[in-house]
Amino acid sequence: MTTIRQRRVGKGTEADDDQPSEEKNLKPDGKILSGHTGGKLWNILSITVGGIVAISLGLLTSVYVATLHENDLWFSNIKEVEREISFRTECGLYYSYYKQMIQAASIQQGIVNCKQYLEPVYFYIYTLFGLQAVYVIALYVTSWLLSGTWLSGLLAACWYITNRIDTTRVEFTIPLRENWALPFFAVQIAAITYLLRTHLQPVQERLTLMAVFIATFLFSLTWQFNQFMMLIQALALFILDCFDMLPTAKVMWLYIIQISGLLLVCVLQFFNSMILGSLLISFNASVLVARTIQKNLKKGGLLNRLGKLILHVLLVLCLTLLINKLIKKILNLESDEHIFKFLKAKFGFGATRDFDANLYLCEEAFGLLPLNTFSRLSDTLLFYVYIFVLFFMTVAAVIIAFWNLSGSNQVQFMEKMEECTVTLKPDAAYNLIHTILFGCLALSTMRMKYLWTSHMCVFASFGLCSTEVWKLTLKCIHLYTSQRTRVIKYSVPVMTLLYISYKFWPGITDELSELREFYDPDTVELMNWIKSNTPNTAVFAGSMQLLAGVKLCTGRTLTNHPHYEDKNLRERTKQVYQIYAKRSPEDVYRILRSFGTDYVILEDSICYERRHSRGCRLRDLLDIANGHIMDGLGENEPDLKPSLYPRFCEEIKKNLPPYTIHFTRVFQNKTFHVYKLAKHK
């Protein structure tokens, strides 16, 4: 809760004469042609200026989000407990491990003590804000690599900043794992984009593969959803390889890097079973096996290749399912079953009463992408430009894929299609399929939009500064000349930047001047009471979100927390949540004591929840899972029955004997009620 202060994120072909000036005097391997001293100096100057602009924009973005965070909470002026409470839900859990580490005596003895220079909490949040600089620089570089001009990178960074609401949420969910991971994912995409360029020297290729591996490893290490994101990435590589639009050898290396990165993370995470049972490992292994079995996949006529391609896809699909099922059966893995139940129900393959799946289905973040997202993206012209570029690039990709499959001579094809189409380089082809697949993911699941919108900035800016896109556009309307293409590819981005600056700079300055202050006295009072009135060994039960804060602020032991990728922990959470179901006091007491609970915290905001509609309130999900009729007016499924008991969280407040024999209220304010459990012999 906050209150206003009164004081106020096809195969490449040789370059033509319309190349950007940065590349025009370069050999295919990137070296300067001899005898072009002026071009060499120009390239050095351009790269230097572009690099300075990239670093400057990255640092400015870090300062921008850090200032927004400070202004929203008055973070520098509030108490330590209030700072920790501001890390809501699972954010508090993640930060608690950092706090636990820096307070450990062995760690303090092993590192230089930096507390005299910077408070630990500031070291933590500034590290994350610093990663935003890495994120923006990676987006900038990717766009620059694709278009050949750093003007494209500048536009990508500006779009990322002006669309901050839809590109990042780092300033108000700082410790979330995605905020650690996405900068490394952006670096990985930049490295892949460079790797897929033609005519790389062997040393350049090896160094780039190493960069891809490091970025993949760090991305996998920092986010629990990494395997699903990289599965989509692997699908993009698979599609492009099938249509002969990427070099097969490089694609195989990328598959191997993904598997290696995940397996290394598995080892470092004490053999995390969820990683071993991931679809990504099964899929990549299946592709590698299938490519070994099927020879001459890219030879023959159109019908011949289509037949081979269909068999290849079926073989990979069957092998993936078989390998995945075998791994899960052998290792008895069930860590991710709730995700597949959620996906099955989400896409209409049958309703479910599974508590965990419904918990996801009822959250807005896991619903469809709201339509107002597109209106916001359109205000900055980003969405309009993106659709324009996407259309032309998709048309080019379809034409080139068809000709690749038909086995037509590439040179004859380019000569024949010179007047109406455009070449599609491997790096551009990859980014095209990447943005399409992640766009589909974002449309289906709002929480994943940040993977799409940031890349949307890259893709749109690349297209707006692309010689190929403007060449195709002008040829289609019979207005093409080399000089006109060059003028348009620079003037349109500059005008777009001027428009963005004119329209959004006043709003940014107003945003930076708006001052607020953190205000949550009930939670502060609860945490202070726990620290002062309960033993350090006390065990607390309650909602996942609140208990994360309890662990962070007080260091007490918990019965459950928001790490939801473990089946046993999910089942334990469901059992603890019976405090909000229609269960007898004896049942609730028995469940809580089985987990060693000393205190249970009840929240009125959950017990009397109105945020969700009927059927999606936590108490409704518990009623459905328990086979009970839901509260309130409305329909119930025919087989649901009335419960024999009233709702526990409501009835316990009446201090009736069946409850007081097991539970004693020891703390109460407007939001929370804490009960101590009796220890019966």
Side-chain angles (χ1 to χ4, degrees), residues 612-630:
H612 291 100
S613 60
R614 185 177 184 270
C616 267
R617 300 169 297 190
L618 179 62
R619 61 181 186 267
D620 297 334
L621 302 183
L622 290 164
D623 289 342
I624 293 171
N626 292 339
H628 297 152
I629 291 175
M630 294 181 287

Side-chain angles (χ1 to χ4, degrees), residues 128 131-132 134-135 138 178-188:
L128 272 159
L131 281 175
Q132 281 294 297
V134 175
Y135 198 0
E178 70 186 51
N179 294 329
W180 291 96
L182 293 187
F184 299 120
F185 193 49
V187 171
Q188 186 226 40

